[in-house]
Amino acid sequence: MIQKYVAEALGTGLLLVAVVGSGIMGEALSDGNVAIALLANAIATGCALYFLISVLGPISGAHFNPAVTLAFFLRKEITTRAALIYIGCQIAGGILGVWLTHVQFGMEVFQASSTARTGGAQWVSEAIATFGLLFVIFGGIRHRPDEVPILVALYITGAYWFTASTSFANPAVTIARAFSDTFAGINPNHVLAFVVVQMGVALLSTSLLSRLFGGQETKN
């Protein structure tokens, strides 16, 4: 089991290196053009998701996301103990990934974001983003299991652009991004609402998606 936990921590950490690092690089090179910075951020994140899921999926399932872990727990595909450790590893790995990114760019390691991301529109956006991610994962597992890495990568790349929140869709990523006062950051005071929406959507939608795609139904 230790390999699975290491894979979840490592995968989430490297995902945050991609998210935060590409945001820093994109902002630095875009000469103030936010659209170009976001495009760089989206492409790098999608690429990272593809290779991370492809390489680490056979080890841990490549959740890298507490909302995904909760969904698999509700489907009884992961034990309570393993799910809790997964989530702890994801959060810790994500924060360490953010700090490592700051080191490589020669920035102050310990930061708190000042970027405001709050309000009803942002919360609805996160609900859509999280539901869409779970929709793609479970639909992919049911119909195109070998293509799940590219399906998730393409979904998140697109969702950066069609969701108002730029599709965090991940409590571990949300928490970690609060520790970076950079392009990808989120004010720590706004994290809780995002996480509640993300986990709430996973809780409410897993049974529906399991029925839709003919997977194991949840038993509450």
Side-chain angles (χ1 to χ4, degrees), residues 103-123:
V103 170
Q104 71 159 330
F105 281 97
M107 304 174 69
E108 182 179 348
V109 176
F110 304 110
Q111 305 178 18
S113 177
S114 59
T115 303
R117 299 180 191 267
T118 189
Q122 291 283 296
W123 302 332

Side-chain angles (χ1 to χ4, degrees), residues 56-213:
L56 297 176
I59 299 175
S60 69
H63 296 189
F64 313 144
N65 184 336
V68 173
T69 297
L70 174 60
F72 279 105
F73 169 74
L74 292 172
R75 286 162 58 98
K76 302 188 184 302
E77 296 180 26
I78 185 172
T79 66
T80 301
R81 179 176 182 273
L84 291 173
I85 297 175
Y86 263 43
I87 291 172
C89 289
Q90 292 157 0
I91 293 171
I95 294 171
L96 289 173
V98 167
W99 288 342
L100 181 60
T101 303
H102 294 161
V103 170
Q104 71 159 330
F105 281 97
M107 304 174 69
E108 182 179 348
V109 176
F110 304 110
Q111 305 178 18
S113 177
S114 59
T115 303
R117 299 180 191 267
T118 189
Q122 291 283 296
W123 302 332
V124 170
S125 174
E126 276 304 294
I128 293 170
T130 306
F131 179 82
L133 176 61
L134 295 174
F135 175 85
V136 168
I137 289 172
F138 292 131
I141 289 172
R142 177 67 177 85
H143 298 297
R144 293 287 190 272
D146 293 338
E147 297 177 14
V148 170
I150 190 63
L151 290 172
V152 171
L154 289 173
Y155 171 75
I156 291 296
T157 302
Y160 260 63
W161 287 87
F162 64 71
T163 62
S165 64
T166 66
S167 187
F168 283 46
N170 183 330
V173 166
T174 303
I175 292 168
R177 287 169 67 165
F179 289 85
S180 185
D181 194 20
T182 61
F183 182 81
I186 176 174
N187 189 305
N189 294 325
H190 302 157
V191 166
L192 179 59
F194 267 47
V195 171
V196 168
V197 170
Q198 293 156 356
M199 295 299 274
V201 167
L203 183 65
L204 295 173
S205 65
T206 299
S207 180
L208 169 64
L209 292 173
S210 294
R211 288 179 171 86
L212 177 63
F213 293 115

Side-chain angles (χ1 to χ4, degrees), residues 23-72:
I24 294 170
M25 185 70 80
E27 188 173 46
L29 299 178
S30 64
D31 194 26
N33 189 322
V34 179
I36 296 298
L38 182 61
L39 180 61
N41 200 201
I43 292 172
T45 301
C47 290
L49 281 167
Y50 177 73
F51 71 71
L52 289 171
I53 296 171
S54 296
V55 172
L56 297 176
I59 299 175
S60 69
H63 296 189
F64 313 144
N65 184 336
V68 173
T69 297
L70 174 60
F72 279 105

